[in-house]
Structures are given as structure tokens and as C-alpha cells.
Amino acid sequence: MTKKSTPDILRIAVAQLNPTVGDIQGNLAKAREARADAARQGADLVLFTELFLAGYPPEDLVLKPAFLAACERAADDFAKDTADNGPGVIIGVPLKRKSGVHNAVIVADGGKIVAERFKVDLPNYGEFDEKRVFQPGPDMPGPVNFRGVRIGIPICEDIWGELGVCETLAESGAEILLVPNGSPYYRTKMDVRHQVAIRQVIESGLPLLYANQLGGQDELVFDGASFAINADHSLAFQMSQFEETVAMTMWRRGEEGWACVEGPMSKIPEREEADYRACMLGLRDYVNKNGFKNVVLGLSGGIDSAICAALAVDALGEERLRAIMMPYRYTSSDSLKDAEDCARALGCRYDIVPIHEPVDGFSHALTQLFEGTKEGITEENLQSRARGTILMAVSNKFGSMVVTTGNKSEMSVGYATLYGDMNGGFNPIKDLYKMQVYALSRWRNTHVPPGALGPSGEVIPENIIDKAPSAELRPNQTDQDSLPPYPVLDDILECLVENEMGVDDIVARGHDRDTVHRIEHLLYIAEYKRRQAAPGVKITKKNFGRDRRYPITNRFRDRG
């Protein structure tokens, strides 16, 4: 009997796709379409991403037996498809076994499931809390023999943590590491992923293919950007960021083992483009996956609402955005002109709804209750809350989702009005500091991101970018009347929020101690507002909500 020869070429298709959490049949249909595409390209194997059939992250859905059963049925059905002698598949799915509910992958070929592998290292930090819904794999995974090639399949965190999963796979005979991932975007994340992969390649001595999910899921955006690192530590291929695609790669066995010798080499966007496209993708998927036909926002003539309008048109198209200017006696003629110019540049519907009557009506209704008090922030906030009520009325009447427009600087210090300009379903700039909003606005005026549905040219009037920001709730008001200049404020906030720095260290950067104490105090006392805020796209390493979870009731202050 002659020994069956092992292959020297393996064609692996990487399915960088946009699943929807809970849409099991829709995800299965997407997987089938991708496999058919890969078959036409001559693939031997299709690699899908983490928990693809369920959508990632499924969170507490995996606690429902009916959900788990539906996911496993879909996995079985997909496995049967491989009886057609086409490519085999590796696809993520939650599986309930005697050892618990696992974040798993199946390997299917020849019409059946030939192997299951369970995630060993469950992340429990930042945006991840998998330990509350999954059990880790009971054993370290061994390689899977796929058509004569021993493939190691560590799942996402298995290559990020310190458990030595990749080394174990190498020691037990793996020849290639194929890694399904659900790795969300934050600024500089691409560099971090490459470093993690290179470390594992160095420690295991094996080439590594990193397949990453694409798409928005609530606050998280998965940016794709799948890649491979060869055993010599070189970048073998790089897929596009923020774009859904099935890419073919070719792997060849040589004297030194396997190496990827063909694959796409896409350029990764620079910082402003990446942030803008993440916000755009997050907004698009939130609106579309939740079934909203269109959106509405208050267009004030300020920069925050202007960039949100641009993002909405780019994500959804001009016909799906309704912008409403709601002027009061303090609204300047510049703001009226700037808002109209912005709407005209974007091509969206633009309405003007004055709020004099509702605000004056509220004031009149409260006259007796407020007798003997001085006018102040309460009366100013009536304007914002009247605007919020009007936007919610339009939402209720026409089924439009309200896009809320507060930036991270405002959300940090409580300078956004609860039940007013914080009203809304989703906030695409929630995790952008004010100076980042300016930077992205300037970038958008000179670039049209791939996949954008909006126009080219200046879509945010230059006057909006140049003028001093103001809520226009009283005569001649500017934001800097009560806050330090935004470059100073943003640096202090980044120190406090992203880096958890102490007051002494922030002062050592050149900031005034009293100012730092005040900003820290404002940050803490605004926590109750942020708990009631709409979700928004995660852009920084530590966003409000999933990453930063501070108590509302909190008397700690750093008085160092």
C-alpha cells in the first residue's frame, strides 16, 4: 500500500464579513454565499470569524437554550453543504456540551463536522465579559488534520493571553495557525494586533492567519483588516479595513514549513480616516440592523451636529436624513446661515421649527413655582429640552431614529442636557473628544471615504469650524466661558479617562491644579447622566459604558 501524499499547496479563503447578532439564518445564508464565492475562486478551505453564525458578541443570548439549539442546527446544516466536494469550512458557533457552553469553532468537510475546538482563554476586561456566559475549553486544543495539513485553531483571546495555546499547538504538531477573531476597533488597534500576532509567531515558530469580523454591533465596530504573518515574521497579506470581502490566499509548503505566498495587500487608512469610517460604519449598521428607515437630528449650526449630519449622509444617503434647525431668541444669524449651508452642501432635507412658543410656555407654566428665584441654567436648559421633545415627536410620528450629537468632552464633564440634546437612539461621535471632532471635520472636507454616500467637497462650512463653539442658551455665550480651552480640557480628560492618571501626574504635564481638580469633580458627578445616554461608537481604548464602569455614587476625589 502506498502512503497518501500530503498537499504542498493550500488555498484558504478568508471570509471577512458582517454578521448580525441573533440573525442565525441570515448569517448562515451569508456564509453559504461566501463559500460559493470561495469555491469559484478555487479555495480548499474557507475561514470564517469568531461566533459567526451567532454574531459577535452574543452576550446573554447564549444563556437561552433555544438560541444555542438554533445555532447548532445552522452549523449542522452548513456542514452538510460540504458534501459537494467544494471547500471545507472553519466557522465560529456557540456549542453546549457536557463541559458547559463554549465559544467554539467547527471544522466541516465532506458533508460532516470533522472537529470541534473550544476557546480556552476567555477575555474578561474592557468590552469583554465572556466568563459570565461561557466556560473555557476543558483541555488545551490540539491541531485538526484537514486534508493532510495539521491546522491549529486558537480562537481570538487564545493568542492575546498568556496561556501558551499557540506553543501547545506547535508542540503537538500544528503546521499553520488559523485564528478566527472578533476584535473591535479602537485607535491604534491595528498595530497592537500585528504585535500580538508576531509575538505568537516568534514563540510558536508557525505562520499565523488572523481573520477578523467586520461591522457594527451596538457600541462596537469590527474593522476587519484581516492579515497573515509568515514564520519569518514578514507580513504575508493585509486585507482592507472597514470593507466586507472574501479574499483568496495561497499557502505553499517548503523545506521550512508553510508560508503564505499570495494574498491581497491593502493599504490601512491613516488615523482620521479610520476614525471617521469607524463612526460611519457604526452608525450605518446600528440604523440598518435595527430596522430604522431614516434618521433625524437637530442641526444647530455648530460643529458637533454638522459632523453628525455628514456621517449620517455618508452612512445612509441624503434621502434618509432629516435635519431640523430649532432657533430661539439667542440663536445667531450666523448659526442659521451655517446650518442651512451645511444642509444644502449635504443635500438632505432641512426644516426650521422655532421654539419660542414651547419655551415661553414652559417658562410661563413654571412662573409660580420659580417665584423669587433667579434665572439661570434651569431656564437655559428649557431650550435644549424643548428641542429634544420636538425631535422625539418627529421620531414617534415618522419612525425616524434621533441621532444625538454630544462629543466625549461634553459627555465627560456633564455639558450635555439630560432629556434635551442627549435625547436620541445613537451617537456616532460619543467617543470623540472635541478636538478630534475638529480634526475629522477638516479631514472630511477634503476627502470622501470609501463606501460613503455623501458628496465630495466642503460639506461642513468653514465658518462652523472656525467660530467659537457655543450652546447659544444666553447672549454672547461660548463654551470657554465655563470650561478651559478645549485643547487643555481634552488633554486633562484623556489623562483622567484613558490613562487613569493621578492629579499630581497631570499637573506635572503643565496643567493648573485647581483646574484639574474641577474637571475631575465634573467627570465624576456626570456619571449618572452618562448612564442614561444613547449608545455610541467606540473609538478610543476606553469609552464610556463598556470600558469605563465607574459608580454613580462615588465620593472619591484625588486630592494629591
Side-chain angles (χ1 to χ4, degrees):
M1 181 181 295
T2 59
K3 184 178 179 181
K4 185 178 180 180
S5 62
T6 56
D8 292 324
I9 296 291
L10 189 64
R11 295 176 176 84
I12 304 175
V14 183
Q16 180 175 290
L17 304 177
N18 188 345
T20 299
V21 168
D23 185 11
I24 300 165
Q25 288 304 307
N27 297 338
L28 175 58
K30 190 177 282 284
R32 282 172 162 158
E33 183 180 348
R35 181 175 178 269
D37 182 8
R40 288 190 291 270
Q41 297 185 58
D44 301 303
L45 177 65
V46 187
L47 176 63
F48 292 87
T49 53
E50 183 175 14
L51 292 180
F52 183 86
L53 289 173
Y56 186 80
E59 302 185 274
D60 284 12
L61 274 174
V62 298
L63 301 178
K64 294 187 73 68
F67 178 75
L68 292 173
C71 287
E72 185 151 8
R73 284 195 301 272
D76 290 337
D77 290 345
F78 195 32
K80 292 173 185 174
D81 292 353
T82 63
D84 61 2
N85 295 320
V89 298
I90 298 173
I91 193 164
V93 61
L95 294 176
K96 185 175 183 179
R97 296 294 181 259
K98 290 181 179 180
S99 49
V101 177
H102 297 290
N103 181 332
V105 296
I106 62 158
V107 183
D109 196 26
K112 61 184 179 179
I113 294 173
V114 297
E116 298 174 351
R117 290 296 182 267
F118 304 145
K119 190 174 185 177
V120 176
D121 199 347
L122 301 178
N124 216 58
Y125 56 86
E127 65 267 36
F128 303 110
D129 54 1
E130 288 192 24
K131 288 183 179 179
R132 68 188 298 272
V133 294
F134 289 116
Q135 290 294 314
D139 303 301
M140 292 291 269
V144 175
N145 189 320
F146 177 80
R147 301 185 185 179
V149 183
R150 295 186 301 277
I151 294 173
I153 314 174
I155 303 172
C156 200
E157 191 69 16
D158 287 343
I159 75 166
W160 290 73
E162 303 296 333
L163 294 184
V165 177
C166 294
E167 284 185 277
T168 300
L169 284 163
E171 290 167 358
S172 53
E175 301 172 82
I176 303 174
L177 299 175
L178 303 185
V179 191
N181 293 270
S183 177
Y185 174 83
Y186 62 73
R187 194 177 296 125
T188 74
K189 187 68 170 287
M190 277 298 307
D191 291 338
V192 176
R193 290 186 195 130
H194 281 175
Q195 291 164 12
V196 167
I198 289 171
R199 187 183 78 235
Q200 295 296 350
V201 169
I202 292 171
E203 292 180 358
S204 68
L206 299 177
L208 183 151
L209 193 166
Y210 188 108
N212 194 33
Q213 180 174 307
L214 182 85
Q217 172 58 29
D218 297 343
E219 301 100 319
L220 301 179
V221 169
F222 299 90
D223 55 310
S226 305
F227 64 93
I229 304 291
N230 273 326
D232 64 1
H233 315 160
S234 64
L235 182 66
F237 74 84
Q238 176 66 67
M239 291 172 64
S240 58
Q241 201 172 18
F242 306 110
E243 294 177 14
E244 192 171 27
T245 185
V246 176
M248 180 62 63
T249 69
M250 187 171 77
W251 297 69
R252 178 176 290 125
R253 188 202 305 266
E255 291 183 3
E256 301 299 321
W258 286 91
C260 179
V261 295
E262 287 183 20
M265 195 60 75
S266 299
K267 184 180 178 182
I268 296 300
E270 298 294 332
R271 173 172 163 164
E272 280 77 20
E273 178 181 348
D275 285 354
Y276 191 94
R277 292 175 69 180
C279 292
M280 187 175 80
L281 177 58
L283 177 61
R284 174 183 289 158
D285 275 359
Y286 191 87
V287 171
N288 290 340
K289 289 181 179 182
N290 285 292
F292 294 103
K293 293 181 179 179
N294 45 52
V295 297
V296 60
L297 61 74
L299 194 61
S300 68
I303 194 163
D304 296 325
S305 62
I307 194 172
C308 286
L311 282 163
V313 169
D314 283 341
L316 306 169
E318 63 185 44
E319 71 283 356
R320 295 178 69 185
L321 170 65
R322 183 177 197 164
I324 303 179
M325 160 56 94
M326 293 165 282
Y328 189 57
R329 64 181 62 142
Y330 306 125
T331 302
S332 67
S333 56
D334 275 354
S335 292
L336 285 164
K337 181 178 185 303
D338 291 341
E340 184 177 357
D341 288 348
C342 183
R344 185 181 297 113
L346 290 167
C348 64
R349 176 170 176 172
Y350 177 68
D351 297 296
I352 298 177
V353 180
I355 61 168
H356 302 79
E357 290 185 9
V359 173
D360 292 347
F362 281 129
S363 298
H364 179 72
L366 292 165
T367 298
Q368 187 173 350
L369 290 177
F370 288 0
E371 188 176 0
T373 65
K374 292 182 179 180
E375 287 195 6
I377 293 175
T378 300
E379 286 75 16
E380 292 177 8
N381 284 343
L382 288 177
Q383 299 166 53
S384 178
R385 292 189 171 120
R387 292 180 175 118
T389 299
I390 288 169
L391 290 174
M392 291 308 300
V394 172
S395 173
N396 291 162
K397 178 63 71 173
F398 300 107
S400 307
M401 188 199 78
V402 178
V403 174
T404 183
T405 61
N407 61 70
K408 191 171 187 176
S409 303
E410 294 175 350
M411 300 297 291
S412 296
V413 295
Y415 277 53
T417 306
L418 198 57
Y419 320 124
D421 53 351
M422 285 178 66
N423 280 0
F426 194 77
N427 183 349
I429 65 167
K430 182 180 180 180
D431 203 29
L432 290 174
Y433 289 109
K434 189 75 169 188
M435 297 310 296
Q436 293 164 355
V437 170
Y438 280 111
L440 264 62
S441 298
R442 293 188 182 96
W443 179 87
R444 178 58 182 88
N445 273 350
T446 55
H447 300 82
V448 180
L453 302 176
S456 60
E458 184 179 280
V459 295
I460 299 173
E462 199 63 33
N463 192 53
I464 290 178
I465 296 174
D466 291 341
K467 68 183 179 183
S470 171
E472 294 191 324
L473 300 178
R474 62 176 181 269
N476 303 314
Q477 179 189 30
T478 67
D479 292 1
Q480 311 308 186
D481 294 343
S482 53
L483 290 172
Y486 276 114
V488 174
L489 175 64
D490 286 359
D491 189 65
I492 293 173
L493 288 172
E494 214 164 333
C495 291
L496 289 168
V497 177
E498 264 69 47
N499 301 317
E500 299 287 3
M501 290 171 61
V503 168
D504 286 344
D505 292 332
I506 300 173
V507 171
R509 290 171 63 89
H511 294 295
D512 173 71
R513 184 175 297 273
D514 289 342
T515 300
V516 176
H517 281 154
R518 177 169 173 261
I519 298 306
E520 181 203 39
H521 177 68
L522 291 174
L523 175 66
Y524 285 148
I525 64 172
E527 184 62 38
Y528 82 100
K529 285 188 176 183
R530 291 190 291 270
R531 293 285 185 93
Q532 300 177 67
V537 177
K538 172 183 165 68
I539 294 294
T540 67
K541 194 171 182 180
K542 188 170 285 188
N543 74 330
F544 292 124
R546 298 190 75 103
D547 294 323
R548 187 181 187 276
R549 307 180 192 184
Y550 269 64
I552 295 174
T553 304
N554 169 27
R555 290 190 179 181
F556 175 76
R557 300 293 185 270
D558 182 358
R559 289 298 177 253

